[in-house]
Amino acid sequence: RRGALEILASLAPKDARVCLICPVSIERIKTPARGGTCKHLQCFDLEAYLFGKCTACPVCERELDSPGGLVIDGFFKKVVDSAAQDVNEVAFASDGSWQACTGDEEGDAE
């Protein structure tokens, strides 16, 4: 199982932008999760995934064993909790720092 910083280090810069909106619920992520075998940084909301009775990752469509095949991303959780409520997307640097994205522009680093 790969952690967020390990995944982040392997991504190209353009791939380091992630959405804070869950692809299942279309609401802001509360408990960020991803499949333990997924290779992307993007998370989905754990509760939305479980209550939606999903069987595959909503990001990469990889089949997942639920709940044992899911991991909660503590790093992503800190970002979601720190970002202003009107921020829907963030961009990560390879060192784990991040910036809020507003349209095509990037905001303040955290």
Side-chain angles (χ1 to χ4, degrees), residues 35-101:
T37 59
C38 292
K39 297 180 181 182
H40 52 79
L41 188 59
Q42 181 64 53
C43 288
F44 48 83
D45 185 71
L46 178 64
E47 186 176 312
Y49 182 87
L50 294 174
F51 285 117
K53 299 182 180 173
C54 301
T55 59
C57 174
V59 177
C60 68
E61 300 180 357
R62 185 180 295 240
E63 287 295 316
L64 303 174
D65 293 327
S66 182
L70 303 174
V71 293
I72 295 173
D73 189 329
F75 175 72
F76 200 101
K77 173 77 171 141
K78 289 179 185 176
V79 173
V80 170
D81 290 346
S82 298
Q85 285 299 309
D86 63 342
V87 172
N88 292 329
E89 187 177 41
V90 296
F92 288 101
S94 60
D95 65 359
S97 63
W98 58 274
Q99 295 181 322
C101 299

Side-chain angles (χ1 to χ4, degrees), residues 3-50:
L5 291 177
E6 185 180 350
I7 293 171
L8 187 59
S10 70
L11 295 175
K14 66 180 175 58
D15 296 328
R17 287 175 76 124
V18 296
C19 186
L20 304 183
I21 304 299
C22 174
V24 177
S25 67
I26 316 301
E27 295 180 1
R28 189 166 174 122
I29 295 171
K30 296 178 190 134
T31 306
R34 85 170 67 77
T37 59
C38 292
K39 297 180 181 182
H40 52 79
L41 188 59
Q42 181 64 53
C43 288
F44 48 83
D45 185 71
L46 178 64
E47 186 176 312
Y49 182 87
L50 294 174

